[in-house]
Amino acid sequence: MGGETHPRVVPAMSSYPKLATRPVGQQIESIYTDRLRQFTSGGQYSSQNLVAKLHDETVDDEDHVRLYVYSVPDLARPTFKEATSHEFKKTHRGELFGPSWATHWFRIHLTVPTSMVKAEHLEFHWDANNEGLVWTEDGIPLQGLTGGERTEWVLPDSFRDGKEHVFYIEMACNSMFGNPPGDIIQPPDPNKYFQLQTARIAAVNLQARQLYVDFWIIGDAAREFPGDSWERHEALQVCNAIIDNFIAAGGSQQSIIEGRKIAQKYVGENVDSSKVYDTDNEAIISGIGHCHIDTCWLWPFAETKRKVARSWLNQCDLIERYPEHRFTASQAQQYKWLEINYPAAFDRVKSKVKQGKFQPVGGSWVEHDTNMPSGESLVRQFLYGQRYFESHFGDRCRTFWLPDTFGYSSQLPQLCRLAGMNRFFTQKLSWNNINNFPHTTFNWVSLDGSQVICHMAPAETYTAEAHFGDVRRSVTQHKSMNQDNTSLLVFGKGDGGGGPLREHLEKLRRCRGLSDKTGLLPRVKMGTSVDEFYDKLEEKAANGTEFVTWYGELYFELHRGTYTTQANNKLYNRKSEIMMHDLEYLATLATLKSKSYQYPKKDFDEIWENVLLCQFHDCLPGSCIEMCYDDTDKIYAHNFKLGEKLVDDVLSALGLSKDISLPGELVALNTLPWPRSEIVKVPSPKRMSNATDYAIVSGEPGLMYAKPAASAVRETASVTTQKDGSFVLENKALQVRIKDGCITSLIDLKADREVIANGKANQFVLFDDKPLYWQAWDVEVYHLNSRKELQSGKTRIVEESPYRVSVETETKISEQSWIKTTISLSANVEDNIPSYVEMESEVEWHEDKNFLKVEFPVDVVNTEASYETQFGIVRRPTHYNTTWDMAKFEVCSHKFADLSEHGYGVSILNDCKYGFATAGSLMRLSLLRSPKAPDAHADMGRHRIRYAIMPHAGGLDARTVRAARAFNYPVQLYRSVVPEKKPTAAADDENEKLFRSIALSSDSNPSLILDTIKRGEDDEDVRHSSSQSDFPTDAGLKVRKGKSIILRIYESVGGKARGSIATTLPVKKVTRCNLLEDDGEELTMRADPKAKGGERTKYVGVEVRPFEVVTVRLQL
């Protein structure tokens, strides 16, 4: 600037060429990207690309591979010992085996040729496009096989001796997804045959196999990284360099080794071992191997038992070959099946559990539906599941695992916490077809305020293929980045079992190597556990991270038809729950009365485990093939038969008999925890003394004595025929007008109020029911556009007594289908109990993709309706203001749904239905569907359905809860059978005292429900019974001395409530406990200061939050 001078510098000679030697064009990215598929595809270039180099040698001639088969008759599934006792016949590749669901046992005689003895890696390849299980010659199961996916078994080194070796393969004639004719949800083809395509020894070129995976992941980076990233462009150059090198060297082994060196520039040098994870770089994705096995779905239970063995043995094998592999599996039922049917496999799994590499998860008996099981059923899912895991593996599960269930009940967080689990995993809401669920990691809050930390895998699958894209989506689809950036990647073949493949683990190694070497891809880590992932989330919450909250149910915006499909299966579930409630209550009392009566825990366990099994999330919802419901029909029939025997036994111990022709007092059993007064029909021909058909039973919980209705009922019911052909049914509380089978008027006489608004109640309507795809699962919102009213025939009076009046109407649905409905009104028994109009419909149903519902337009206005759920009530919109509101056009309800405004409401009760909808003031109960897939005969046949409409003054309260419970627990009549040496009065008095020995005090808030009375699981006399089972669920758990009684209480309508447990039993101590019956806080007992004599009533006060579930132990 100032005129300075500088010495002249002579520039160095440039290496940049002066002259262009040839033209160089820009690489056309799309062409060079598409080229990549040529290198690893099985298409027209497979003889000249990397695929041709995957094996150094293969042999399948009869000198080295000889095959013999025993084809099992009658679709049986014999044990190894049974199967191998039969004669085997010679067979060969190319032969067909079937039909669907058949089993064929193959004996393979294998001799490794001299040329392959020193090969680096030997495998036996088997592919018949179905499933199989490899067994040793002496009957040890080793590994599963799946056609087209898992077709190799690594040969033991002992097979390299040049001698002949024998092993077996058990072939199951079904694919991973059963036997569909094409579309997987269509009813299975019963006549599929499978061709044995491959049975060979292969010497594997490990370098070529590894290059294949290198190239796969780098190719994904070239295709899926952002277009403006240098990492994408670099990946494309690396892949093309590998191809060019391979071609230049004629596909030689050296070119493969060089190709791997080129790949290492992008994915790093340690991808051939678990060392790739040994870096200090932070990883935010936790890879967890998983194998979702539907306990039944497109295959029956019997095949699931084999799927479990095949799948879990695969994982034991991979755990031994890949040190970083951690595998998690849920469902105690599946572990028990493995324990019973494959003890050697169970021992192998158990050893891996001990090493921390095979990780039980979930804490429930099966991965169950959570919409329709009762509250107590959900409790038992956890109780039986956790007890199994603790007794067999030494620990309870800490994470509730339900990746594939169709929506999640609002009380699950509370029940999880009470079962020792404060974490929850799912991903199913990613299937929503209306709204996108807004969170990945969040606090899920129950009706009572309890919360669990919930994580929904952002990869939006529980069967990830461990692709590059799965890892990337774990970040790009993560919706909770403001609070936490970590996630679970749950990978492995699933639904039909299988679990992770070798390729999955190899791909994840490359992904991690790529993340560390090149970057941009989020890091995945292995060798961890689900619990460790949640531990860190809890640690963050404890250190101040405020995860967002979601209150109430996780409603699934899909599969709404599952509340209705397979009606009989749902009916049997409801009846089973009711049966077990009564049996446990009565058996508990019987153990207090009789030293000779033993609490039948072994039988109770059998029934409960069967009920819990049938609540699996495809079974109870109705989305399985017909074979599954053939199985459940048998299971329920067995349960009901066993239950009947247990009822007879306990009645005998209590001095009661179902044979009312015997001498003695005619009594009824009130198994509900509040007084009942009802008119009951005396079974014909055993009439009361004055030959009336009806009696009235009234009393506290326990024994209620029957009195002739004529002497006890003050008010009566009547029916009259009107000039217009309508009928009027009336009692003291209600006046019902019926025309053509519909209720055209329902007047609440006490409130002087018309209940029906602008329409006809009990109106049957039919809808066209063709969802977008999932027939048995879905009903779509557009089905509402096809509403068709069914016209009924003539109505006639079928019962006209002072105590109950009934009219009957037949309704034609189609040429094949009809409804016969009886509408009844009973005399009003007590003023404080709401009266209801009862409908009982007999339906002959042979429809094709139609949906039957019954409507009740009511003169009540509210923007929310209430529906009973487990241990509580959930409120849902009656309007379509937003898409979130509209999405709930069909919802799940238990024993009642209610629409109330200030001062008045209407409840709809039912005895076996779960689907419901309230749109404005129109209440609609779903009755029957007729999907044709995956069960072509779903719901076809005869059905009986009971439901009722119950108006009530005031809002929704405990009256509806009690009425709905009573509607589902119809009163049964018995004879009080007096022992010969005991006077009648003394015997009856003893029974009355026994039944009144446990109750809620009369001054307790009526919203408190004493839901369950049972014996303690670990009482020494109870465990003595269960220990007689060959495979007891609770083996090894600590036994408690003495007797104890477990009480489960909940608040039912949504307000804090106080009450007292009242007992005359010799109680030593009262403790509050959890669902697993671990003792907690000791509660104070107080005696009644006014009572005299030795039989003093003791009281234990309880205060319960809205919708809280409280479990109490009375230690005797």
Side-chain angles (χ1 to χ4, degrees):
M1 299 281 300
E4 301 93 336
T5 60
H6 299 279
R8 183 171 178 272
V9 177
V10 179
M13 184 69 67
S14 173
S15 60
Y16 177 69
K18 178 179 179 181
L19 300 176
T21 59
R22 60 185 173 85
V24 178
Q26 181 171 335
Q27 193 178 79
I28 308 303
E29 184 175 340
S30 61
I31 293 175
Y32 279 81
T33 301
D34 288 345
R35 178 199 188 197
L36 305 187
R37 302 188 188 281
Q38 291 184 358
F39 190 53
T40 54
S41 71
Q44 60 183 329
Y45 304 118
S46 59
S47 63
Q48 295 176 300
N49 64 14
L50 184 60
V51 174
K53 305 299 179 180
L54 292 177
H55 305 116
D56 293 327
E57 183 181 357
T58 63
V59 295
D60 57 11
D61 60 89
E62 287 197 3
D63 290 337
H64 301 95
V65 181
R66 288 188 291 122
L67 306 176
Y68 300 84
V69 65
Y70 164 59
S71 297
V72 183
D74 304 322
L75 305 187
R77 296 175 173 88
T79 64
F80 176 88
K81 184 176 181 181
E82 292 169 345
T84 55
S85 68
H86 290 272
E87 180 184 355
F88 281 64
K89 296 180 180 180
K90 195 170 184 179
T91 188
H92 54 83
R93 286 181 297 106
E95 191 165 347
L96 295 172
F97 297 93
S100 303
W101 312 116
T103 298
H104 301 268
W105 281 81
F106 292 84
R107 189 176 71 235
I108 294 97
H109 295 248
L110 183 146
T111 304
V112 175
T114 305
S115 61
M116 299 173 72
V117 165
K118 294 185 179 181
E120 182 181 12
H121 184 79
L122 289 180
E123 295 176 347
F124 181 73
H125 292 179
W126 176 274
D127 194 353
N129 204 33
N130 55 19
E131 294 193 270
L133 180 60
V134 180
W135 295 76
T136 65
E137 187 176 12
D138 54 353
I140 303 300
L142 295 177
Q143 181 201 302
L145 299 166
T146 304
E149 291 180 350
R150 197 184 316 262
T151 60
E152 76 279 3
W153 172 51
V154 178
L155 290 179
D157 286 341
S158 60
F159 279 34
R160 295 171 179 263
D161 58 3
K163 297 179 181 178
E164 182 177 89
H165 295 267
V166 175
F167 61 96
Y168 291 85
I169 291 179
E170 177 189 13
M171 175 193 284
C173 287
N174 52 266
S175 70
M176 184 72 79
F177 292 95
N179 282 297
D183 179 359
I184 69 163
I185 72 164
Q186 295 306 310
D189 178 352
N191 290 303
K192 288 188 77 171
Y193 283 78
F194 298 84
Q195 186 176 50
L196 178 56
Q197 300 167 344
T198 304
R200 71 184 185 188
I201 306 169
V204 178
N205 183 338
L206 289 182
Q207 287 292 337
R209 177 179 279 182
Q210 295 295 66
L211 179 60
Y212 187 96
V213 186
D214 294 341
F215 193 87
W216 187 342
I217 292 300
I218 302 171
D220 281 349
R223 288 181 286 268
E224 298 185 40
F225 267 151
D228 60 355
S229 65
W230 74 265
E231 293 90 347
R232 173 175 178 143
H233 293 280
E234 180 66 13
L236 185 60
Q237 301 312 306
V238 168
C239 285
N240 276 279
I242 291 171
I243 297 174
D244 292 341
N245 172 75
F246 183 85
I247 293 171
S252 67
Q253 184 66 15
Q254 187 59 37
S255 73
I256 293 171
I257 294 171
E258 287 299 320
R260 297 218 63 210
K261 291 179 181 178
I262 296 169
Q264 287 172 5
K265 297 176 183 178
Y266 200 83
V267 298
E269 298 178 355
N270 292 322
V271 294
D272 287 344
S273 75
S274 60
K275 291 180 180 179
V276 72
Y277 299 104
D278 296 341
T279 69
D280 295 330
N281 298 320
E282 181 184 8
I284 60 174
I285 301 168
S286 298
I288 298 293
H290 180 55
C291 168
H292 181 69
I293 306 177
D294 284 320
T295 301
C296 64
W297 180 30
L298 304 177
W299 51 87
F301 293 120
E303 195 55 44
T304 306
K305 296 173 184 179
R306 302 202 293 189
K307 283 178 176 284
V308 170
R310 293 191 287 257
S311 302
W312 293 2
L313 284 169
N314 292 340
Q315 301 316 306
C316 290
D317 174 64
L318 286 175
I319 285 169
E320 291 164 2
R321 293 159 58 194
Y322 290 84
E324 72 270 28
H325 184 34
R326 300 295 180 270
F327 176 75
T328 193
S330 64
Q331 308 193 73
Q333 173 69 88
Q334 296 186 3
Y335 286 87
K336 184 169 183 177
W337 279 340
L338 192 72
E339 178 190 8
I340 294 170
N341 298 305
Y342 301 89
F346 184 76
D347 288 343
R348 193 174 174 194
V349 165
K350 201 168 182 178
S351 71
K352 298 296 184 284
V353 172
K354 192 172 182 179
Q355 295 169 13
K357 296 184 177 184
F358 193 116
Q359 300 164 353
V361 73
S364 57
W365 191 248
V366 295
E367 287 187 15
H368 52 90
D369 178 72
T370 77
N371 289 311
M372 290 167 285
S374 68
E376 191 59 28
S377 284
L378 294 185
V379 170
R380 300 309 172 95
Q381 287 285 354
F382 293 137
L383 180 68
Y384 279 83
Q386 290 286 49
R387 288 174 68 81
Y388 185 90
F389 288 125
E390 182 180 11
S391 66
H392 288 74
F393 304 114
D395 286 308
R396 295 170 177 172
C397 299
R398 297 163 59 200
T399 303
F400 186 32
W401 183 272
L402 274 188
D404 193 34
T405 294
F406 312 149
Y408 304 94
S409 163
S410 53
Q411 284 287 52
L412 278 179
Q414 178 182 188
L415 299 180
C416 285
R417 296 300 295 250
L418 292 171
M421 296 179 286
N422 51 359
R423 303 93 175 270
F424 178 58
F425 174 82
T426 186
Q427 63 78 50
K428 196 65 176 182
L429 268 61
S430 66
W431 284 41
N432 280 3
N433 72 343
I434 295 180
N435 297 288
N436 188 10
F437 191 77
H439 309 305
T440 292
T441 304
F442 58 97
N443 295 315
W444 181 24
V445 185
S446 195
L447 291 178
D448 78 315
S450 302
Q451 68 177 4
V452 293
I453 192 160
C454 179
H455 178 73
M456 297 188 182
E460 297 187 347
T461 181
Y462 53 91
T463 59
E465 293 282 355
H467 288 321
F468 175 97
D470 292 320
V471 175
R472 191 160 177 264
R473 282 187 290 275
S474 295
V475 168
T476 60
Q477 295 179 168
H478 200 301
K479 303 167 189 171
S480 301
M481 285 291 189
N482 290 341
Q483 292 82 38
D484 179 73
N485 63 355
T486 64
S487 64
L488 283 174
L489 176 62
V490 181
F491 66 93
K493 298 290 182 179
D495 290 334
L501 300 168
R502 168 188 54 79
E503 290 94 328
H504 294 155
L505 295 162
E506 294 287 355
K507 285 188 287 182
L508 288 176
R509 284 179 174 179
R510 271 69 177 178
C511 287
R512 176 55 186 264
L514 188 160
S515 301
D516 286 337
K517 180 71 174 180
T518 302
L520 195 57
L521 186 68
R523 290 184 182 86
V524 62
K525 62 181 176 181
M526 299 286 285
T528 184
S529 71
V530 172
D531 285 335
E532 288 170 340
F533 171 79
Y534 279 99
D535 285 342
K536 292 185 177 179
L537 293 180
E538 289 185 1
E539 183 181 347
K540 288 183 179 181
N543 291 331
T545 299
E546 291 189 312
F547 291 102
V548 297
T549 54
W550 184 274
Y551 284 79
E553 68 179 329
L554 293 173
Y555 178 83
F556 184 39
E557 297 178 2
L558 203 67
H559 294 2
R560 302 168 185 89
T562 58
Y563 312 143
T564 305
T565 309
Q566 298 289 359
N568 283 334
N569 197 52
K570 292 170 168 61
L571 168 68
Y572 299 152
N573 175 72
R574 179 85 62 91
K575 298 308 179 189
S576 296
E577 292 169 338
I578 291 168
M579 178 181 77
M580 289 309 297
H581 170 276
D582 288 355
L583 268 173
E584 289 182 328
Y585 169 51
L586 298 175
T588 297
L589 296 180
T591 61
L592 302 177
K593 178 181 179 180
S594 171
K595 291 183 179 179
S596 63
Y597 179 82
Q598 187 177 58
Y599 194 79
K601 181 68 162 56
K602 175 177 176 290
D603 293 327
F604 284 177
D605 286 347
E606 181 180 350
I607 294 174
W608 265 122
E609 288 178 15
N610 283 337
V611 171
L612 302 178
L613 169 64
C614 294
Q615 290 172 350
F616 177 72
H617 70 251
D618 277 304
C619 186
L620 182 55
S623 49
C624 292
I625 61 173
E626 188 172 11
M627 293 174 75
C628 299
Y629 297 108
D630 292 340
D631 287 344
T632 59
D633 285 349
K634 294 174 185 175
I635 290 170
Y636 281 122
H638 169 78
N639 273 6
F640 292 138
K641 183 178 180 180
L642 178 57
E644 279 296 305
K645 175 188 177 297
L646 297 176
V647 167
D648 290 341
D649 292 345
V650 74
L651 289 176
S652 177
L654 294 171
L656 301 172
S657 172
K658 288 187 287 190
D659 185 357
I660 64 173
S661 66
L662 297 173
E665 289 280 355
L666 188 63
V667 299
L669 272 179
N670 177 14
T671 59
L672 299 183
W674 49 73
R676 294 177 74 171
S677 292
E678 295 184 20
I679 294 172
V680 296
K681 199 165 191 175
V682 180
S684 178
K686 310 298 183 184
R687 308 297 192 192
M688 300 286 284
S689 57
N690 63 353
T692 182
D693 287 332
Y694 287 94
I696 184 169
V697 293
S698 182
E700 298 291 325
L703 287 181
M704 302 187 295
Y705 291 92
K707 300 176 183 178
S711 64
V713 179
R714 299 187 302 273
E715 306 294 339
T716 60
S718 65
V719 57
T720 58
T721 305
Q722 306 300 300
K723 291 181 180 180
D724 63 354
S726 64
F727 298 84
V728 174
L729 285 60
E730 189 168 346
N731 64 14
K732 184 182 178 182
L734 301 175
Q735 182 188 85
V736 190
R737 183 177 294 272
I738 299 167
K739 186 173 177 60
D740 298 328
C742 295
I743 300 172
T744 57
S745 173
L746 173 55
I747 297 175
D748 184 333
L749 298 174
K750 294 180 181 179
D752 189 23
R753 176 168 178 155
E754 173 62 62
V755 176
I756 305 302
N758 303 322
K760 297 172 290 184
N762 198 49
Q763 172 67 62
F764 292 108
V765 287
L766 201 66
F767 298 86
D768 184 77
D769 189 16
K770 298 184 182 74
L772 296 174
Y773 177 66
W774 301 96
Q775 282 194 43
W777 294 258
D778 287 350
V779 56
E780 295 293 357
V781 65
Y782 53 75
H783 86 287
L784 296 170
N785 301 338
S786 64
R787 178 182 177 275
K788 173 187 175 184
E789 289 189 6
L790 296 179
Q791 304 303 313
S792 297
K794 289 185 178 181
T795 301
R796 64 188 181 95
I797 298 172
V798 292
E799 186 169 15
E800 188 174 5
S801 79
Y803 318 111
R804 185 177 174 91
V805 292
S806 304
V807 298
E808 181 184 87
T809 306
E810 290 194 19
T811 304
K812 183 177 180 181
I813 301 172
S814 66
E815 292 301 319
Q816 299 82 27
S817 305
W818 49 262
I819 310 168
K820 184 187 292 182
T821 304
T822 302
I823 303 177
S824 302
L825 185 67
S826 296
N828 202 43
V829 179
E830 289 193 9
D831 292 340
N832 63 338
I833 300 176
S835 189
Y836 56 72
V837 183
E838 179 181 344
M839 279 66 71
E840 183 167 4
S841 292
E842 182 181 9
V843 185
E844 185 70 21
W845 182 248
H846 296 282
E847 295 301 293
D848 185 354
K849 304 180 193 69
N850 285 328
F851 198 157
L852 179 67
K853 306 186 185 187
V854 61
E855 294 180 342
F856 297 89
V858 298
D859 190 15
V860 177
V861 178
N862 199 328
T863 57
E864 289 185 323
S866 299
Y867 304 87
E868 188 187 39
T869 187
Q870 300 94 347
F871 298 127
I873 293 167
V874 60
R875 294 176 175 85
R876 301 182 177 109
T878 62
H879 55 79
Y880 298 158
N881 283 3
T882 69
T883 55
W884 291 92
D885 301 322
M886 187 187 71
K888 296 178 181 178
F889 61 84
E890 181 85 3
V891 298
C892 186
S893 182
H894 281 220
K895 294 182 287 296
F896 70 83
D898 183 88
L899 183 63
S900 291
E901 61 191 26
H902 178 69
Y904 201 81
V906 177
S907 299
I908 305 297
L909 318 180
N910 79 85
D911 77 337
C912 60
K913 295 299 165 187
Y914 294 93
F916 208 93
T918 306
S921 295
L922 179 63
M923 306 180 77
R924 188 185 290 126
L925 178 65
S926 297
L927 301 180
L928 292 168
R929 298 185 68 224
S930 51
K932 300 305 173 187
D935 177 0
H937 305 106
D939 285 323
M940 298 297 99
R942 190 69 57 91
H943 301 268
R944 292 185 182 274
I945 307 162
R946 286 176 60 240
Y947 52 96
I949 179 170
M950 189 183 81
H952 55 83
L956 172 62
D957 58 26
R959 292 171 299 164
T960 290
V961 177
R962 293 183 174 194
R965 183 72 68 102
F967 192 77
N968 279 265
Y969 286 72
V971 169
Q972 302 290 324
L973 293 175
Y974 305 97
R975 284 291 180 190
S976 179
V977 183
V978 183
E980 291 181 9
K981 297 181 180 180
K982 192 170 286 189
T984 302
D988 289 346
D989 183 59
E990 181 183 337
N991 264 346
E992 286 187 47
K993 289 179 180 178
L994 178 66
F995 278 104
R996 285 155 179 64
S997 63
I998 309 168
L1000 290 179
S1001 62
S1002 58
D1003 61 350
S1004 295
N1005 192 308
S1007 71
L1008 291 179
I1009 306 297
L1010 177 52
D1011 187 65
T1012 298
I1013 298 175
K1014 63 182 285 291
R1015 288 294 307 278
E1017 292 289 316
D1018 292 320
D1019 290 357
E1020 53 189 345
D1021 61 322
V1022 170
R1023 284 282 296 279
H1024 175 72
S1025 169
S1026 67
S1027 65
Q1028 297 173 23
S1029 169
D1030 292 334
F1031 294 92
T1033 298
D1034 49 14
L1037 298 182
K1038 188 176 180 181
V1039 176
R1040 297 178 62 96
K1041 291 186 177 181
K1043 293 183 178 181
S1044 69
I1045 297 172
I1046 300 295
L1047 311 180
R1048 193 131 32 239
I1049 302 165
Y1050 75 97
E1051 196 286 318
S1052 62
V1053 295
K1056 180 180 286 189
R1058 293 187 178 92
S1060 296
I1061 300 166
T1063 179
T1064 58
L1065 298 174
V1067 177
K1068 296 178 182 178
K1069 185 170 72 169
V1070 181
T1071 53
R1072 191 161 174 167
C1073 53
N1074 61 17
L1075 302 184
L1076 309 181
E1077 301 181 13
D1078 301 321
D1079 286 344
E1081 171 194 6
E1082 185 171 351
L1083 303 178
T1084 303
M1085 282 189 293
R1086 55 183 175 83
D1088 183 356
K1090 299 178 182 179
K1092 296 181 180 180
E1095 205 171 75
R1096 264 189 163 188
T1097 301
K1098 292 175 280 291
Y1099 296 92
V1100 180
V1102 290
E1103 182 174 284
V1104 186
R1105 297 191 307 271
F1107 299 124
E1108 183 184 10
V1109 180
V1110 173
T1111 304
V1112 174
R1113 183 194 303 277
L1114 305 181
Q1115 185 68 49
L1116 306 185

